[in-house]
Amino acid sequence: GAVVSQHPSWVICKSGTSVKIECRSLDFQATTMFWYRQFPKQSLMLMATSNEGSKATYEQGVEKDKFLINHASLTLSTLTVTSAHPEDSSFYICSASRRTTEAFFGQGTRLTVV
Amino acid sequence: KQEVTQIPAALSVPEGENLVLNCSFTDSAIYNLQWFRQDPGKGLTSLLLIQSSQREQTSGRLNASLDKSSGRSTLYIAASQPGDSATYLCAVPETGANSKLTFGKGITLSVRP
């Protein structure tokens, strides 16, 4: 089956630094990928839609200058959390779909900002 | 705007029991519905996908049904095992395939040995 790989699975960074999270579709091309954020004991909240070759579409309330998304190829999207602060600590998950099949999710990245 | 609801939020059952997890959605014009499993601190694992034209899908001990007219889906787990303990989420795409998903809040299942 289709696999979406996310890296790193966890990261600890100092406040004020930037962190990059990668999301790869391993056996299919994904023109669209999605980035979600999940707080403890809550469901997933969509942050943005990553479109290959064009700008990402951000959900209302998500700071596009803080959460930079780059979808440079059909198999890779990256999310960069810039100038991270403790309130950015969360679980970030990406997903990708083939054209007519189910959505597949990465393993998630636990970000802790200290 | 589509809303997806999963009730109850948590469920505890003894091992071996057959159980049903419910999912309801407000807009019946869905393209498909997908059930996921999430273990603590992990990503989502796709369990079953039901296309809008289908009534049910089966995979091993899991069976998912879909009733678009009533805005409901159920995930049936047969002969539950402690390893089934996890959070189960249902989700529907906003528009067609490959569009963003609207999730329910999930049902946290605990299967007691």
Side-chain angles (χ1 to χ4, degrees), chain A residues 31-32 34 36 38 43-44 46 59 91 93 97-103 105-107 110, chain B residues 31-32 34 36 38 41-44 46 49 51 89 97-101 103-106:
Chain A
T31 56
T32 303
F34 301 94
Y36 295 83
Q38 186 177 34
S43 193
L44 282 73
L46 181 68
E59 294 300 297
F91 193 59
I93 313 177
S97 302
R98 282 203 188 102
R99 196 166 286 278
T100 59
T101 61
E102 65 258 50
F105 282 77
Q107 306 94 316
R110 169 72 59 193
Chain B
Y31 188 82
N32 60 42
Q34 198 165 351
F36 296 91
Q38 185 176 32
K42 303 293 184 181
L44 275 65
S46 178
L49 169 75
Q51 300 290 356
L89 300 104
N98 205 29
S99 66
K100 56 187 178 182
L101 296 177
F103 283 87
K105 291 187 176 181

Side-chain angles (χ1 to χ4, degrees), chain B residues 71-89:
Chain B
R72 294 178 186 274
S73 175
T74 61
L75 179 66
Y76 175 82
I77 302 177
S80 58
Q81 303 170 358
D84 295 329
S85 298
T87 297
Y88 292 81
L89 300 104

Side-chain angles (χ1 to χ4, degrees), chain A residues 77-98:
Chain A
S77 174
T78 60
L79 168 67
T80 301
V81 183
T82 63
S83 187
H85 290 285
E87 57 265 31
D88 299 324
S89 298
S90 190
F91 193 59
Y92 295 87
I93 313 177
C94 67
S95 78
S97 302
R98 282 203 188 102

Side-chain angles (χ1 to χ4, degrees), chain A residues 1-15:
Chain A
V3 176
V4 174
S5 177
Q6 191 173 336
H7 178 80
S9 57
W10 61 270
V11 58
I12 301 173
C13 71
K14 291 184 177 180
S15 187

